[in-house]
Amino acid sequence: MDNEGFTATAGVKAVHDTTNRTGDDVTPEASTIISYANDDATWGVSIAAIHQERDSGYTGATVNDWNIDYWDDLADPDRLWNTTSAEYINAPQQGQLYARPNDIRYAFSNTQRVRDNVQLNLQFAPTEQFTASIDYTFAENEIVEQRGEITNWVQTGSNTQVVEFDDNIVKTPIYMRETYAGGTDEGYEQQWREQTNTLDSIGVNFKYFVNNDFSLTFDAHDSEMHSRGTGPRGSGEIAVGLGAPTVVEREWFYDSELPTYLNVYDDSIRGANNNGVVDAGDVGSSIARIRNAAQRSKITQFKLDGEYVLDNGRFDFGVEAREMESRSFQTAGNNIALGNWGVANPGEFGDLIQPFDLPGEFDDYGVMPGGFGFIADARELYTAAESLYPGIPSATEQALSFDDTIQEDTLAAYAQVSLDGELGGMYFSVLTGLRYEETEVTSTSLVGQTLFRWEDNNDIVSFVNSDVPPTPASAENKYDYLLPSLDLKLEISEDVLRY
């Protein structure tokens, strides 16, 4: 109501992003604000809206995990490295902590994002003593990501040839070399992810001046945030593991700015196409996953505040009730065996797999020559896999790996007094108050039966047994706080304050 009459603005701008590989380098953003208030300033309305599109990408390198252990008997089969025939350079002392990485992973991501925000405000003031406001906010962010990897796993046993450690207190390898008599695979998993995040929020506010010294304010507010997968097959992610089982020797280098690797390939083994080049004819499927994760959070608040103006201060008081509930769950996402860990059927996807120079995407870092990468649409790969492997799941599983709900109810009341004046010619102020809060929390979880299965090499995976109904578990807690406060300030001089 501060802007009488009709006003409107509109804006358009563009974002230039060269990190994208798909979509457009230049994407738009448009916004508008429209408001109207009557001549008497007794009511008004405004609306603001923004639409934004953004296409972007990134390239990254990571280690999936670091394992820590004590250096002891090399013949112990449970060790991170467990072969006595390997050469260990600068090895840890007996009993010293050391680390072993799981892999080196290079990854690329192509992301397209659409964001919409709308806010509506209504205001009504029929008298000078009373003002009412209503506001509504809507925000939605739709994110689509195509992602892929190159993964080179570290193994154990007789494959290990050389491990060289650094001089840290926890010894960490800076170089490793393995050989594989029958060949092993290099992984090229492809992922398609879609997630939508939506916010709905509405609030009302009433302010009433009982008289010149006393006013009351009432607030009520309700919001909900919902994040969920909105991809095909009821998913948030479809992932199809790919691999070329053509690696006969592998080296890792962890002593540079960017961890890197060097492989020796032989595509005359394990069903590859034997044309002397690592290409789509050498790449087959391993394991797929279809999974979804979601979270819905709600909050409802009511608050009544009072303010009484004193001759030399102010007295405030209020009460508040707040209810919050959040539920989060994730579908089981069990491994779906296609060509399985051995990548049994190289070349099965044909032209759906295209070469992609992922190592070459690291413009500012040196990588070892000869690395290979591939790109594919995981949605198309899984559709093709349904024909190649009849009977695999067609959609996200109904079984959940977790389903958790937390509910929290809070009641609060407060009162505070603010006073100021002079004491012996010196200015002073006092702020003192008391707040009481009582909170009840209920936590509920549906727990499914989780089993573990050895699938290949050191691949031990957990999976949810969908044949056994989940078991509910819950816990409750209640607590309260009494929170007093006192703040004193004395201005001894213009330059000195005493608290």
Side-chain angles (χ1 to χ4, degrees), residues 312 418-431 487-492 497-498:
N312 61 339
S418 174
L419 300 172
D420 58 65
E422 287 191 3
L423 180 65
M426 298 178 289
Y427 172 80
F428 76 91
S429 65
V430 178
L431 179 64
D487 181 78
L488 304 173
K489 182 172 69 173
L490 180 64
E491 188 175 313
I492 299 175
L497 293 176
R498 175 62 63 88

Side-chain angles (χ1 to χ4, degrees), residues 3 7 16 70 92 99 110 114 131-132 145 176 238 258 292 305 367 398 402 410 457 476 499:
N3 299 304
T7 62
H16 183 224
Y70 290 97
N110 300 321
V114 177
T131 302
E145 180 187 25
M176 297 179 295
I238 298 176
L258 178 75
N292 200 343
D305 287 314
V367 298
Q398 296 301 308
F402 67 83
T410 299
N457 290 332
E476 296 182 358
Y499 289 92

Side-chain angles (χ1 to χ4, degrees), residues 81-286:
W81 279 288
N82 52 13
T83 178
T84 57
S85 61
E87 179 183 4
Y88 298 99
I89 302 173
N90 196 26
Q93 299 295 319
Q94 188 77 7
Q96 185 177 2
L97 284 172
Y98 70 100
R100 193 206 74 180
N102 274 0
D103 54 27
I104 288 178
R105 297 189 180 207
Y106 291 169
F108 71 86
S109 172
N110 300 321
T111 302
Q112 294 179 295
R113 186 187 71 188
V114 177
R115 184 183 184 95
D116 292 295
N117 290 30
V118 178
Q119 187 168 48
L120 174 67
N121 298 97
L122 302 172
Q123 203 167 25
F124 179 56
T127 69
E128 293 184 357
Q129 288 77 33
F130 179 75
T131 302
S133 301
I134 300 176
D135 63 85
Y136 171 72
T137 300
F138 171 84
E140 187 164 82
N141 197 13
E142 300 178 22
I143 306 169
V144 177
E145 180 187 25
Q146 181 186 19
R147 186 178 183 277
E149 297 181 347
I150 298 177
T151 304
N152 287 280
W153 292 275
V154 178
Q155 298 188 20
T156 58
S158 60
N159 298 309
T160 306
Q161 303 299 309
V162 179
V163 181
E164 181 179 357
F165 291 92
D166 62 15
D167 294 320
N168 289 330
I169 295 176
V170 178
K171 289 274 191 171
T172 305
I174 57 177
Y175 171 79
M176 297 179 295
R177 180 167 65 88
E178 293 181 353
T179 58
Y180 315 98
T184 192
D185 65 302
E186 182 173 51
Y188 309 110
E189 181 169 286
Q190 304 294 311
Q191 301 157 0
W192 185 270
R193 298 170 173 174
E194 292 189 39
Q195 196 81 7
T196 300
N197 306 311
T198 304
L199 169 68
D200 274 296
S201 177
I202 188 168
V204 296
N205 174 275
F206 303 103
K207 186 162 188 177
Y208 178 59
F209 287 89
V210 180
N211 54 46
N212 291 336
D213 299 325
F214 183 38
S215 64
L216 294 171
T217 303
F218 176 75
D219 278 292
H221 167 249
D222 187 79
S223 289
E224 178 178 293
M225 183 71 187
H226 188 199
S227 177
R228 71 278 186 197
T230 48
R233 304 177 185 273
S235 72
E237 178 188 72
I238 298 176
V240 178
L242 302 176
T246 58
V247 179
V248 294
E249 183 176 311
R250 178 175 288 148
E251 295 174 279
W252 293 266
F253 303 86
Y254 288 95
D255 58 346
S256 57
E257 287 185 292
L258 178 75
T260 187
Y261 65 92
L262 181 63
N263 288 339
V264 177
Y265 301 91
D266 181 357
D267 74 339
S268 67
I269 60 175
R270 296 180 61 173
N273 63 6
N274 195 23
N275 63 357
V277 178
V278 178
D279 56 20
D282 303 318
V283 178
S285 64
S286 57

Side-chain angles (χ1 to χ4, degrees), residues 38-114:
N38 68 336
D39 295 338
D40 297 329
T42 57
W43 68 273
V45 59
S46 70
I47 185 169
I50 299 175
H51 174 80
Q52 182 191 70
E53 299 178 13
R54 182 78 177 269
D55 299 333
S56 61
Y58 74 79
T59 304
T62 187
V63 174
N64 193 42
D65 202 1
W66 288 86
N67 306 278
I68 306 296
D69 202 354
Y70 290 97
W71 192 265
D72 49 19
D73 183 8
L74 282 174
D76 184 350
D78 295 328
R79 291 182 90 258
L80 299 179
W81 279 288
N82 52 13
T83 178
T84 57
S85 61
E87 179 183 4
Y88 298 99
I89 302 173
N90 196 26
Q93 299 295 319
Q94 188 77 7
Q96 185 177 2
L97 284 172
Y98 70 100
R100 193 206 74 180
N102 274 0
D103 54 27
I104 288 178
R105 297 189 180 207
Y106 291 169
F108 71 86
S109 172
N110 300 321
T111 302
Q112 294 179 295
R113 186 187 71 188
V114 177

